[in-house]
Amino acid sequence: MEEKHILEVKNLSVTFRTSQGNVAAADNVSFYINQGETFALVGESGCGKSTTARSIMGLISSPGEVSGDGIFFDGMDLSKLKKNQMAKIRGKRIGMIFQNPLDSLNPVYTIGSQITEGLMIDGTDKETAEREAVRILSEVKISDAKRRMKSYPHEISGGMRQRVMIAMMLVRNPELLIADEPTTALDVTIQAEILELMRELKEKFNTSLLLITHDFGVVADMADRVGVMYAGRLIETADVFTIFDRPAHPYTRLLMQALPTITKDEGKLVSIPGNVPNLADLGAGCHFADRCPLASPECREKTPEMQEIEPGHFCACIKTGRQGK
């Protein structure tokens, strides 16, 4: 039986027009997420992960321009919706956890009022909304939830603020949750707790999850499938086991070699030479060519296309896929 795609992004491009030229923050990005699945979008800072996520939510504003063949959520093309139509989807059916919860939470409103606001927008009466808010705070393992309803964001720790953000998104029971670097500002112990919490709640509510991260440890722990991005392009996708066991793209391979191990006999960590190219000054061909040990003149001339190199494993590399345009 074919799995249902809750989200399908087709050839998404996001361009920002600046004084230094056009910046292609996302370039023909395509992927899908199945119902109940966790799909991790991974890559270095500035590769276009967050821009892709914000495009799905309809949060790209001027001077950004979004184009492509559609962003389909449960059969609807989100890119074609008007602002008032998208407002009914955002938060209710698609929730998003941003990188820094202190920036996302309003400092002048209590936690309780911020959680109940979305429910009341949906038509829930205040008493029921407050009951639901206490319940969801308990679900995200905040002790004495009723008392914490009266707290302000600055009165609680970073880990608790992240739990509150998760609660705010889950209280309306969205079908898709986008988590943009949800544990970046947290210490390792709290990070593990938040990830375990997200996994438990995802399974309990059967929520699909788009996880934006640069941390392969988080990917290994959370993801069902993985998409690797580089300089605005999606360059490889596969299930999480395949990505770790037999990465195909040279960039993905180098990332894997750069991961620390628990053994001491493997010498120094491998680093990737060179720098990520300036997105305002991208030439033709593969964006990774200048840093790639396998690059040839052809790589700098032809744009590699995504193609299936084994069932469910896609890669955009002329050397791997022997195809370009």
Side-chain angles (χ1 to χ4, degrees):
M1 183 177 177
E2 188 176 346
E3 294 184 270
K4 176 187 176 184
H5 294 176
I6 189 67
L7 179 74
E8 188 169 9
V9 177
K10 294 184 176 181
N11 300 317
L12 171 70
S13 292
V14 183
T15 303
F16 291 90
R17 302 191 182 281
T18 72
S19 57
Q20 296 182 335
N22 295 339
V23 176
D27 183 7
N28 287 310
V29 174
S30 297
F31 63 90
Y32 65 87
I33 302 176
N34 290 320
Q35 181 72 52
E37 178 182 56
T38 296
F39 181 77
L41 209 50
V42 64
E44 296 174 78
S45 296
C47 71
K49 306 184 302 295
S50 294
T51 298
T52 299
R54 294 178 70 87
S55 300
I56 295 168
M57 295 292 286
L59 296 176
I60 299 296
S61 55
S62 182
E65 296 181 4
V66 179
S67 60
D69 296 328
I71 302 170
F72 297 91
F73 171 71
D74 197 21
M76 294 180 296
D77 187 352
L78 301 181
S79 65
K80 297 289 193 294
L81 297 184
K82 296 178 180 178
K83 286 186 178 181
N84 63 331
Q85 294 174 312
M86 190 63 203
K88 295 178 181 178
I89 301 291
R90 192 186 299 125
K92 173 63 177 174
R93 301 189 65 188
I94 305 177
M96 185 166 181
I97 302 170
F98 294 93
Q99 290 187 34
N100 189 344
L102 192 57
D103 291 342
S104 304
L105 294 170
N106 193 319
V108 301
Y109 290 103
T110 63
I111 288 165
S113 64
Q114 294 186 64
I115 295 176
T116 57
E117 181 183 14
L119 290 171
M120 294 172 70
I121 289 174
D122 294 339
T124 306
D125 64 84
K126 185 176 181 180
E127 185 178 346
T128 304
E130 289 179 347
R131 243 189 344 261
E132 279 296 294
V134 171
R135 179 191 65 78
I136 199 67
L137 284 175
S138 298
E139 290 276 6
V140 298
K141 297 180 171 56
I142 290 183
S143 59
D144 199 2
K146 194 168 185 178
R147 181 174 67 85
R148 284 298 182 188
M149 289 274 288
K150 299 177 182 178
S151 297
Y152 289 87
H154 69 274
E155 296 178 322
I156 60 177
S157 68
M160 288 184 71
R161 284 195 290 267
Q162 196 63 282
R163 292 171 191 269
V164 169
M165 279 297 301
I166 294 171
M168 284 178 64
M169 294 302 103
L170 288 178
V171 74
R172 299 171 78 183
N173 198 22
E175 294 143 75
L176 173 66
L177 183 62
I178 301 174
D180 187 359
E181 301 279 9
T183 59
T184 296
L186 305 177
D187 63 50
V188 175
T189 304
I190 301 300
Q191 180 185 71
E193 292 178 359
I194 294 295
L195 292 175
E196 180 60 30
L197 171 65
M198 289 179 64
R199 182 167 36 246
E200 290 176 6
L201 294 173
K202 171 186 168 294
E203 292 173 358
K204 181 172 182 177
F205 295 102
N206 194 34
T207 304
S208 303
L209 177 63
L210 172 57
L211 181 63
I212 309 294
T213 184
H214 64 272
D215 188 336
F216 267 101
V218 173
V219 171
D221 197 31
M222 294 287 293
D224 298 306
R225 287 189 308 110
V226 184
V228 180
M229 290 192 72
Y230 183 81
R233 289 178 180 167
L234 191 62
I235 59 170
E236 185 168 3
T237 63
D239 67 80
V240 66
F241 300 105
T242 299
I243 285 289
F244 278 88
D245 185 53
R246 48 186 186 279
H249 197 283
Y251 174 65
T252 313
R253 291 177 190 168
L254 288 171
L255 283 179
M256 293 301 170
Q257 292 173 19
L259 294 177
T261 65
I262 60 173
T263 61
K264 296 182 179 180
D265 56 357
E266 297 184 13
K268 294 181 179 180
L269 290 176
V270 175
S271 61
I272 303 176
N275 299 302
V276 178
N278 184 346
L279 296 184
D281 187 30
L282 292 172
C286 175
H287 291 171
F288 189 59
D290 289 340
R291 304 175 73 188
C292 181
L294 303 179
S296 66
E298 183 185 23
C299 296
R300 293 177 171 84
E301 298 169 359
K302 297 181 179 179
T303 301
E305 296 181 347
M306 272 285 198
Q307 64 173 329
E308 193 169 24
I309 58 175
E310 62 177 309
H313 188 180
F314 295 81
C315 181
C317 176
I318 293 173
K319 297 296 183 180
T320 301
R322 306 182 187 283
Q323 179 179 332
K325 68 177 182 180

